[in-house]
Amino acid sequence: MSAARFVRTGRQVILHTEAAVCSSARQLVASDIFEQVVRDFIAHLRAEDSPLLEVLPPPSEGHSSESQMVNLLRILLGTRLDQIAEAFPRARDLVPKRRRLHLFVEALYNYWRHFDRFLVSHSETGPGGDVFRPYRTFENTVEELTHFVRAVYRDLCENITGTPPRVYRQVPAGCQVGLIAVPRAWPVPMGCYGPLADVPVIRQVWIDPPLIIDPPENKRSGRFRRVAENPLEGVQLDPEEWLCYPAQVGPLVVFVYFHQCFMGLGTALANLFDLASIERVARGPDAVLAYGLPPDAMERFGDDRTVFHDDAGCGLLVGAIPAGDRFGYFGYLKKMALTLHNVAMMKRGRLPFHGAMVRLELRNRAAANILVIGDTATGKSETLEALRRLGRAEIRQMHVVADDMGSIEVAPDGRLLGYGTETGAFIRLDDLQQGYVFGQIDRAILMSPQKTNARVVLPITDLEEVLHGHPVDFLLYANNHEAVDAGHPVLEAFPGAEAALAVFREGAAMAKGTTADRGLVRSYFANVFGPPEYRRLHDEIAERVFHAAERAGVFLGQLRTRLGLEGWEERGPEEAARALFRAVTERAGGA
C-alpha cells in the first residue's frame, strides 16, 4: 500500500496520497488505515455499550481485543470462518456467534460509509509515469479504492455466513470526492500573503453524485464587513491542512483557501464555480478568500467575524471567515466570494446585482433577456423556473445567465449588458417543485436534506453563457411581500428611472428564514454583499445604469411573486410567471 496520510475531522475522512492507495483487497486490510478505522469503530461501540462487543476476542498475551479483531478480519478475508475454527481451536467460540460477527462487519461497513469521504491526490502523473490524464489518476485512486472496499466487505460477509448474497447493491463505498491538488506558482505578493504560496491548488475534481453532506449549520447570520486591517496578517496556513480552489467567479478569479475542517463545503464549490485554467492561475488571483481561519486570529474583528479587506497596495480583495460550527454553512463561502466579486465590479464601473437572469427564445423566434433582482427567497429563480414550466409549449430555449449574482454594464452603444458569476446554483428545496431539482439529482450535491432550508448545489449553465454579456430587455424587482389587487398588479411598470431607483434602493422583502432575519426587512438594492460598504460609488453607477435603461427602452418594473406570503409559495411565482410571459409575448409582438 502506498504511503497515505489519513485525517479524520468531525464526520469527514480525508486520504492524502501521491499514488494508488492500494493494489488489492488484501493490501487494503493489511494497511494502517484499515486498522485505525476498525479501532475507531470499536471505540464507537464501547461508547454506545453495543451488544456487538460480544464478538470481540478477549485480550491475551499482550494483545488487546482490538488488535486480535483486526487480525481476525485479515484472516477472514481469504478464509471461511468454519476453516478458521478447525485450524485454530480458540476460534471455535466464534462459530455460534456467526450471526453477531456478520452484524459486526455490516456495522463496520456502515460506520465507514457514514463519514463524508475524500481523497486528495498530490500528483498529476498517471500510473506508470504516463502523460498526465486526470481520469487515469482518478481510476488509479478513487475508483480502485471503491472496488477494493466493496470486495473486502463482500468477502468478509461471505466467509462468515458461508453463502453469497442474492442481491448486490453498488452503494458508494470508497471516497465520494477525489481531488488532484498540487503546488502552482503564481506571483505571490510580499508580506502576509507568503503562507499562501505553498498551499496545494486543486486542478481537477471527481465527484460521485448524488453527494449528500450534513454541514453543522443550515443558515447564515450576520453581515460581511469591510475592515481596515488585512485578516491574513499574522496568520499561518499549514499546507497539509489547507487546499486552494481557484474559482472562476464571473470574469474574476478568486483563490478560495479552505481548511480541512470544511472539506465538504470547499469541494462543493465545484458544482457552483468553474475551476480557473492553469494559465489563469499562473497570472494570480483578483481576490483571495480564506475559509476556516483560527477563531482566535479573528477575535480582533469583534462579533461579526466574516470580513473583507480592500488591499489597494497590491490590488487584491481579501475575504476571511473563521473556523467553527457556526460558520459551517455553504452560504458563507458562496456569498463571501460573491461579495468580493461585487466590490471588484464596482471598481470597474459595473453595477453588481443580486438576482437571476435568463435568455428566453420563443418558438416564433422572438426573444427576451430577463433580469429579476431581489433579496434571498423573494421568488427570483422560482418565477423563472415556473416560466420555463408553464411556457414549455411556446419556449424554444431558456438559458441561465445568472442564478444569484452578476453585473450590468452600459455598452458604448447605450445598451445594458448583463453578466453572471456562477455556472451552478445553490437552491433551496423548500419552495421548489420537485422536478426542478430531482430531474438532475444525479449531478447534485445535497446539503442537510432533513432540515429546514435544505439546499442543493448543481450545475446549470456554462462559463461562456455567464461571461458573454447579453442585452437586458426586462429589469425587474422581485417583490415577495405585497398582495395583488387592482392598484398593485402582478407585473407593474415603473413610470421612469427615478421611480425604479426608489424601489430598488429601499430593497423591501419578507424574510423566509434562510438567514437569521425575520419579517419585513430592507436592504440597499436588495444586495448586502458589497454595495452598502461602497454606497457612494454604487449610487453613481446605479444612476447611470437605470437612466441608460430608460433611454434604451428597457422594461423597468416590479414583479409581485408573493413568495413571502403564506399560502402563495407556489401559486405566487406561477402567476408572476404567467404575467411575465404575457409581457414578453406582447413586447415581442409590438417589436
Side-chain angles (χ1 to χ4, degrees):
M1 185 165 183
S2 71
R5 184 162 55 90
F6 178 87
V7 177
R8 177 181 164 187
T9 169
R11 281 191 55 192
Q12 300 180 137
V13 165
I14 307 163
L15 296 177
H16 294 266
T17 183
E18 294 188 2
V21 177
C22 55
S23 59
S24 67
R26 185 170 297 279
Q27 196 176 74
L28 177 60
V29 298
S31 69
D32 292 339
I33 292 175
F34 177 80
E35 179 169 351
Q36 184 173 343
V37 171
V38 174
R39 287 180 177 275
D40 287 349
F41 173 60
I42 293 173
H44 167 73
L45 294 182
R46 292 192 190 281
E48 298 290 326
D49 192 23
S50 170
L52 294 179
L53 293 169
E54 295 174 11
V55 302
L56 290 182
S60 65
E61 300 177 3
H63 297 287
S64 66
S65 296
E66 286 83 354
S67 62
Q68 292 199 83
M69 175 55 80
V70 170
N71 290 333
L72 173 63
L73 293 175
R74 287 170 174 165
I75 297 171
L76 275 169
L77 181 68
T79 311
R80 291 183 179 272
L81 179 60
D82 293 333
Q83 294 173 317
I84 296 174
E86 290 177 6
F88 302 97
R90 291 179 57 189
R92 289 174 185 171
D93 290 344
L94 288 173
V95 175
K97 299 178 182 178
R98 186 191 306 270
R99 165 71 175 162
R100 187 61 57 85
L101 183 59
H102 180 212
L103 292 177
F104 179 94
V105 171
E106 290 281 358
L108 171 62
Y109 186 52
N110 290 334
Y111 174 77
W112 162 254
R113 293 196 312 108
H114 102 283
F115 289 103
D116 298 328
R117 307 175 304 279
F118 307 87
L119 187 146
V120 184
S121 174
H122 294 280
S123 172
E124 290 184 308
T125 304
D130 293 342
V131 176
F132 172 59
R133 294 289 187 272
Y135 71 89
R136 292 180 183 171
T137 298
F138 290 131
E139 284 177 351
N140 195 43
T141 54
V142 185
E143 295 195 17
E144 282 200 356
L145 178 62
T146 297
H147 169 71
F148 292 137
V149 171
R150 283 201 196 111
V152 168
Y153 160 70
R154 289 169 177 168
D155 286 350
L156 287 175
C157 289
E158 288 188 28
N159 284 337
I160 291 169
T161 63
T163 58
R166 287 182 285 274
V167 177
Y168 290 90
R169 297 178 178 88
Q170 294 292 94
V171 298
C175 290
Q176 302 149 291
V177 177
L179 307 172
I180 297 175
V182 294
R184 285 287 178 192
W186 59 277
V188 183
M190 297 180 65
C192 62
Y193 299 98
L196 306 180
D198 297 326
V199 175
V201 177
I202 297 171
R203 293 309 318 138
Q204 270 82 27
V205 181
W206 181 99
I207 301 174
D208 184 11
L211 176 62
I212 301 174
I213 61 177
D214 187 19
E217 274 294 331
N218 66 332
K219 65 179 62 175
R220 179 178 47 79
S221 63
R223 295 286 183 265
F224 299 144
R225 294 187 301 114
R226 182 183 178 184
V227 294
E229 184 180 359
N230 193 323
L232 295 181
E233 286 287 352
V235 173
Q236 295 295 319
L237 305 186
D238 185 343
E240 290 196 349
E241 296 181 357
W242 288 78
L243 291 173
C244 173
Y245 185 96
Q248 186 76 49
V249 184
L252 307 177
V253 170
V254 179
F255 282 11
V256 181
Y257 294 87
F258 59 91
H259 188 263
Q260 62 187 13
C261 68
F262 290 139
M263 180 67 79
L265 297 173
T267 56
L269 286 169
N271 264 17
L272 190 70
F273 298 119
D274 272 16
L275 273 168
S277 67
I278 293 176
E279 295 76 17
R280 187 61 184 83
V281 168
R283 286 160 49 192
D286 300 290
V288 298
L289 196 173
Y291 183 42
L293 289 177
D296 57 351
M298 301 293 287
E299 288 180 355
R300 52 187 156 155
F301 300 113
D303 292 336
D304 286 334
R305 299 175 188 177
T306 49
V307 299
F308 68 94
H309 172 72
D310 191 341
D311 189 345
C314 63
L316 276 179
L317 293 165
V318 182
I321 304 170
D325 286 353
R326 171 186 167 190
F327 302 101
Y329 175 60
F330 191 69
Y332 285 104
L333 185 55
K334 171 188 171 178
K335 292 298 191 184
M336 181 61 86
L338 294 175
T339 297
L340 300 177
H341 161 271
N342 292 347
V343 173
M345 289 298 97
M346 286 186 283
K347 287 172 168 287
R348 299 183 184 189
R350 289 192 194 177
L351 181 71
F353 65 77
H354 184 192
M357 181 176 176
V358 295
R359 287 196 304 117
L360 191 66
E361 183 180 337
L362 305 182
R363 296 194 185 278
N364 63 6
R365 297 305 189 267
N369 300 330
I370 304 164
L371 172 56
V372 184
I373 291 176
D375 209 342
T376 300
T378 52
K380 307 179 295 291
S381 298
E382 292 85 348
T383 297
L384 295 177
E385 178 57 26
L387 179 66
R388 182 201 305 271
R389 190 173 63 253
L390 297 173
R392 188 176 291 116
E394 288 83 14
I395 295 175
R396 183 169 180 248
Q397 290 187 89
M398 187 169 171
H399 297 282
V400 176
V401 177
D403 179 74
D404 186 30
M405 293 276 184
S407 61
I408 306 170
E409 74 170 346
V410 180
D413 61 4
R415 295 180 304 160
L416 260 62
L417 300 180
Y419 302 84
T421 52
E422 308 122 292
T423 54
F426 181 47
I427 304 168
R428 192 180 60 255
L429 291 178
D430 305 50
D431 299 321
L432 293 178
Q433 293 286 335
Q434 288 187 358
Y436 181 71
V437 172
F438 292 105
Q440 299 193 66
I441 194 69
D442 58 343
R443 299 197 298 167
I445 299 175
L446 288 140
M447 297 184 180
S448 306
Q450 79 282 13
K451 297 177 183 175
T452 302
N453 195 36
R455 294 272 180 158
V456 62
V457 191
L458 73 168
I460 58 171
T461 189
D462 59 62
L463 195 59
E464 183 176 347
E465 196 73 60
V466 165
L467 298 180
H468 180 78
H470 300 281
V472 178
D473 300 308
F474 286 78
L475 179 53
L476 307 172
Y477 183 79
N479 180 330
N480 77 337
H481 66 281
E482 288 185 345
V484 171
D485 55 33
H488 301 84
V490 175
L491 179 61
E492 178 183 4
F494 292 121
E498 288 301 323
L501 281 165
V503 171
F504 279 79
R505 279 197 184 99
E506 183 184 20
M510 185 66 70
K512 289 276 292 175
T514 60
T515 67
D517 295 326
R518 290 288 187 276
L520 189 63
V521 298
R522 290 173 174 82
S523 57
Y524 177 68
F525 275 82
N527 192 351
V528 300
F529 308 103
E533 306 282 353
Y534 294 80
R535 186 157 184 156
R536 179 179 295 180
L537 174 60
H538 186 276
D539 264 340
E540 293 173 0
I541 300 171
E543 289 277 352
R544 175 165 51 84
V545 166
F546 275 74
H547 284 284
E550 185 177 15
R551 290 191 298 270
V554 174
F555 185 105
L556 288 170
Q558 62 179 323
L559 192 63
R560 292 184 171 88
T561 67
R562 291 172 282 180
L563 188 67
L565 303 181
E566 187 174 353
W568 289 93
E569 291 84 358
E570 291 189 14
R571 288 176 55 200
E574 286 182 0
E575 292 189 10
R578 290 190 179 95
L580 182 55
F581 187 76
R582 285 194 298 269
V584 169
T585 53
E586 289 170 6
R587 187 180 178 90

